[in-house]
Amino acid sequence: MLELIDVHTYYGNIQALKGISIHVEPGEVVTLIGSNGAGKTTTLRTIQGLLRPRQGKILFEGQDLSSSSSPEIVRLGIAQSPEGRMIFPRMTVLENLEMGAFHRQDKAGIQADMERVFTLFPRLQERIKQKGGTLSGGEQQMLAIARALMARPRLLLLDEPSMGLAPMLVNQIFSIIHEISDQGTTILLVEQNARMALTVANRGYVLQTGEIVLTGSAKELQVNETVRKAYLGEE
Ligand SMILES: Nc1ncnc2c1ncn2[C@@H]1O[C@H](COP(=O)(O)OP(=O)(O)OP(=O)(O)O)[C@@H](O)[C@H]1O
Ligand SMILES: [Mg+2]
């Protein structure tokens, strides 16, 4: 479904991605784990067309994304819940969700997706008229994911959905990620919380200073010594 081939991304002269190759198959949950500054967000922003690779290629369902704008990439079927949520604080929950569907004309489909997200996140329906900025951190995270789902993506990119949330909410967010996957959406999940990410993912990649240093099934990574020491906090 998605293939990154030797992708190099820079911020000016700073090279953030040093030739990464990853792939995501239809129906999978794939996680990208790594510590601060490893290049996880840069990878998602490059897929979404917000950053351009200086070298390498990104293919989505066989199509080269290098000349597609970010809104075009959303239309092709990739949507993102960004790091730090980035919801619109002065807009209501409903308006935030409508923004997620800004490129769509199919009113009936939008309505159906609105109902789908309210089933996944009943809390958002209760808060439908409330301004985004007045929601709790957990609710804002739910709104960011729900807004991405309103684009009806076939591939959902999630950047640190558990960041800053209390353990109970982290569990809740991960069970919703599981449910979204069961409903047929393919997911690329970026996390510092490797333990949780590996419980929901089929496969994973470990990113370290802009390079993929390890890949395997979630089960393999869970028992890998390097992963256990560096990312699962074990001795
Ligand atoms: N706007 C920017 N300008 C310059 N350098 C940047 C910019 N954004 C990120 N970087 C650098 O690129 C590298 C990768 O950053 P990135 O945000 O992708 O990491 P990350 O894995 O998402 O980290 P975190 O876990 O902190 O979110 C880091 O060295 C970072 O300092
Ligand atoms: Mg990041």
Side-chain angles (χ1 to χ4, degrees):
M1 184 177 226
L2 177 77
E3 194 174 9
L4 275 67
I5 307 162
D6 192 32
V7 168
H8 297 245
T9 301
Y10 288 74
Y11 294 99
N13 291 326
I14 303 164
Q15 184 169 15
L17 299 182
K18 302 170 182 167
I20 72 163
S21 297
I22 66 174
H23 65 99
V24 180
E25 304 303 323
E28 278 191 314
V29 178
V30 173
T31 184
L32 201 55
I33 58 186
S35 17
N36 276 326
K40 304 180 299 295
T41 297
T42 303
T43 303
L44 295 192
R45 291 176 60 82
T46 306
I47 295 167
Q48 195 79 71
L50 298 164
L51 294 168
R52 293 290 170 194
R54 195 174 289 183
Q55 191 184 318
K57 239 200 250 189
I58 302 176
L59 302 175
F60 179 60
E61 296 176 335
Q63 184 174 338
D64 189 343
L65 298 184
S66 59
S67 58
S68 308
S69 69
S70 251
E72 277 162 3
I73 291 171
V74 175
R75 273 186 209 99
L76 288 172
I78 304 180
Q80 175 166 189
S81 168
E83 183 176 344
R85 299 144 199 168
M86 311 296 270
I87 54 136
F88 304 108
R90 290 194 187 81
M91 289 186 178
T92 65
V93 166
L94 180 64
E95 288 162 345
N96 269 276
L97 293 174
E98 286 168 348
M99 289 300 285
F102 76 96
H103 63 293
R104 295 173 60 184
Q105 310 295 332
D106 58 320
K107 283 218 169 80
I110 293 171
Q111 192 51 44
D113 286 341
M114 197 71 86
E115 277 156 31
R116 174 192 179 201
V117 302
F118 286 144
T119 306
L120 282 167
F121 304 102
R123 200 53 180 265
L124 293 181
Q125 188 161 28
E126 291 165 21
R127 304 243 184 288
I128 189 162
K129 290 184 182 151
Q130 210 168 307
K131 297 257 194 291
T134 68
L135 301 177
S136 72
E139 290 163 351
Q140 289 190 12
Q141 186 58 63
M142 291 175 189
L143 182 56
I145 298 172
R147 184 182 56 186
L149 288 175
M150 288 304 296
R152 196 179 280 193
R154 288 191 300 289
L155 175 64
L156 176 65
L157 309 178
L158 297 174
D159 196 346
E160 307 265 11
S162 77
M163 195 170 46
L165 302 184
M168 212 172 75
L169 269 167
V170 172
N171 287 333
Q172 199 182 339
I173 292 285
F174 274 93
S175 92
I176 290 165
I177 293 171
H178 207 125
E179 206 171 330
I180 294 168
S181 162
D182 282 347
Q183 291 175 355
T185 308
T186 305
I187 297 174
L188 179 57
L189 168 68
V190 155
E191 266 295 342
Q192 276 194 39
N193 187 339
R195 186 182 307 277
M196 287 304 285
L198 291 172
T199 62
V200 74
N202 305 106
R203 283 192 304 118
Y205 295 90
V206 177
L207 189 59
Q208 207 177 297
T209 56
E211 288 174 289
I212 302 291
V213 294
L214 199 60
T215 180
S217 70
K219 285 206 174 69
E220 286 163 352
L221 294 177
Q222 273 167 337
V223 299
N224 179 280
E225 202 173 332
T226 311
V227 173
R228 294 173 77 94
K229 282 190 180 147
Y231 303 102
L232 301 177
E234 294 176 15
E235 288 304 311

